[in-house]
Amino acid sequence: MKVFVTRSIPEKGLRKIKKRYDTEVNPEPRRLEKEEMIDAVRDKEALLCTLTDMIDREIIESGKDLKVISNYAVGYDNIDVEAATEKGIAVTNTPGVLTDATAEMAWALMLAISRHLVEGDTFVRQDRFEGWDPTLLIGTELKGKTLGIVGMGNIGQAVAKRAVGFEMDILYHNRSRKPEIEKTIGAKYLDLETLLEDSDFVSLHVPLTEETRGMIGKEELKIMKESAYLINTARGEVVDEDALVDALRRNEISGAGIDVYADEPYGANSDYYDLDNVVLAPHLGSASHKARNGMAEMAAENLIAVLEDGMPENIVNPEVLKEEIR
Ligand code: NAP
């Protein structure tokens, strides 16, 4: 069977696939254009792709023999799952293995923005540091502050658990209540509006869906405290970026830590660049050796399970395997 891998992923995963199948890996360190993707999947049984590959209906329909699209990511908003399901193609993802890495990135952004870490780094490199200064880059402590988590799934819960160590109060908003996490760490469930009103830090951990697109817009940012910070490691489009840039410019909120952008896979929003009250990361949530190796292994195992007529551990549209293949 033939497999196409759109970007070079860690060998731990690639090896498993290469051992079993005729495997073609995009040799170039770049995202492929749509026409190249269409050509590549034409004669393949399996596609292993990353979140920067926009797998739309046209690409899916050009893969006449495709059985599985294995996404090297937990979010799968880059794939037209409906089109894949119609064609009986399984779509899989990699939840869990990147939870801690992404939660730590949310914390890195929270600490960096609240303590002016990036501004401080620039200040030192510009040779402006002339010794301790009682008024230099005064920030906000986390202890005793309120953290509002929007999306209390794997990553949201990992972020919440770490907040206990910082002695913060924890609020959350989620599609469904999580009694277990309320009991174990004392997180309090609130509607989104009240959470935004009461939080000193708001951290986003929902997937990008039709319901969550633009979930944080002008109105929501207005509800937040002037002293509050917004952290986004979810997906860029969960936030209305123009509204956020505006709110940051007018100091309607204190700052933001951003890992993800609405314009991905093409880049970030350059309107952020001249703002001091934002820390920007280039989508590094899962960028730890452990997480990326785990994702590679999981993506390979998911793909193999489908090609071997099994049920992968992580499948987004299980109805396909129940009805079409088995
Ligand atoms: P997850 O375990 O599926 O958690 C998502 C949570 O969001 C679930 O608890 C879900 O509620 C909740 N949710 C979904 N729709 C909602 C809505 N409309 N309103 C309120 N809550 C809603 O996923 P995860 O592993 O934590 O990952 C979350 C997202 O993080 C991914 O989808 C991905 O986009 C992003 N991510 C980014 C990076 C990065 O590199 N920056 C890395 C990994 C993941 P239920 O419990 O009711 O289903």
Side-chain angles (χ1 to χ4, degrees):
M1 277 189 273
K2 289 185 177 168
V3 177
F4 184 66
V5 182
T6 65
R7 292 294 288 269
S8 187
I9 62 164
E11 268 305 314
K12 272 195 153 188
L14 274 185
R15 241 191 331 256
K16 285 178 192 262
I17 301 173
K18 284 179 178 166
K19 220 163 66 186
R20 289 175 174 82
Y21 312 113
D22 179 357
T23 306
E24 185 185 331
V25 183
N26 167 21
E28 295 180 56
R30 66 171 179 92
R31 191 175 49 80
L32 295 175
E33 298 300 331
K34 182 168 170 167
E35 290 312 314
E36 296 175 292
M37 289 288 295
I38 288 176
D39 273 352
V41 300
R42 230 185 272 285
D43 60 342
K44 306 293 188 300
E45 271 82 14
L47 170 66
L48 194 152
C49 58
T50 73
L51 58 89
T52 59
D53 302 312
M54 298 299 128
I55 310 297
D56 62 11
R57 183 174 285 274
E58 213 181 324
I59 294 174
I60 289 169
E61 289 182 350
S62 67
K64 300 278 178 247
D65 302 321
L66 266 188
K67 291 183 169 55
V68 55
I69 300 169
S70 172
N71 210 31
Y72 180 70
V74 60
Y76 47 86
D77 49 279
N78 57 312
I79 299 171
D80 186 337
V81 177
E82 197 180 308
T85 306
E86 278 172 30
K87 298 267 297 163
I89 299 169
V91 177
T92 64
N93 66 343
T94 60
V97 283
L98 42 51
T99 295
D100 292 328
T102 311
E104 287 176 13
M105 179 53 65
W107 279 100
L109 289 170
M110 238 183 285
L111 289 161
I113 189 62
S114 62
R115 296 302 296 274
H116 303 289
L117 197 59
V118 177
E119 278 175 274
D121 180 274
T122 307
F123 185 83
V124 176
R125 286 170 198 270
Q126 289 172 341
D127 207 17
R128 290 161 63 199
F129 179 56
E130 292 171 351
W132 187 86
D133 180 325
T135 59
L136 184 64
L137 296 175
I138 307 294
T140 302
E141 283 179 32
L142 302 183
K143 182 176 170 179
K145 296 289 188 309
T146 299
L147 170 63
I149 293 176
V150 181
M152 195 57 120
N154 286 327
I155 299 169
Q157 289 181 36
V159 170
K161 283 175 189 157
R162 285 153 176 79
V164 176
F166 281 102
E167 298 180 49
M168 297 176 85
D169 293 324
I170 307 160
L171 309 176
Y172 81 100
H173 174 72
N174 195 60
R175 193 165 47 182
S176 54
R177 289 280 291 261
K178 304 277 176 186
E180 194 50 40
I181 199 87
E182 292 181 19
K183 205 165 77 192
T184 52
I185 61 163
K188 188 173 158 199
Y189 178 84
L190 287 176
D191 62 82
L192 182 61
E193 196 179 318
T194 317
L195 177 143
L196 295 172
E197 226 167 60
D198 292 355
S199 298
D200 299 301
F201 291 82
V202 174
S203 195
L204 305 176
H205 302 289
V206 287
L208 175 64
T209 63
E210 282 320 305
E211 288 88 59
T212 63
R213 195 182 302 276
M215 190 177 201
I216 304 296
K218 194 173 169 181
E219 292 311 310
E220 289 73 21
L221 290 160
K222 272 207 182 347
I223 296 170
M224 287 174 68
K225 296 180 187 179
E226 250 179 55
S227 57
Y229 297 89
L230 178 72
I231 309 298
N232 189 7
T233 58
R235 284 288 183 265
E237 286 172 85
V238 173
V239 175
D240 175 343
E241 280 185 349
D242 291 340
L244 178 57
V245 167
D246 220 41
L248 290 166
R249 240 181 221 140
R250 294 168 192 262
N251 293 312
E252 284 172 5
I253 64 168
S254 207
I258 309 287
D259 189 39
V260 286
Y261 305 88
D263 267 356
E264 289 185 62
Y266 305 104
N269 185 336
S270 58
D271 289 345
Y272 285 132
Y273 299 170
D274 63 349
L275 298 172
D276 286 339
N277 52 355
V278 60
V279 169
L280 305 173
H283 205 144
L284 294 179
S286 68
S288 76
H289 296 295
K290 187 177 174 201
R292 290 285 164 85
N293 282 329
M295 290 160 68
E297 282 194 279
M298 190 177 269
E301 282 159 13
N302 288 336
L303 180 148
I304 293 164
V306 178
L307 292 188
E308 305 301 323
D309 284 343
M311 178 61 89
E313 205 177 315
N314 308 290
I315 179 155
V316 171
N317 55 351
E319 66 273 23
V320 160
L321 293 189
K322 281 179 198 142
E323 288 160 17
E324 303 283 333
I325 293 179
R326 306 197 113 197

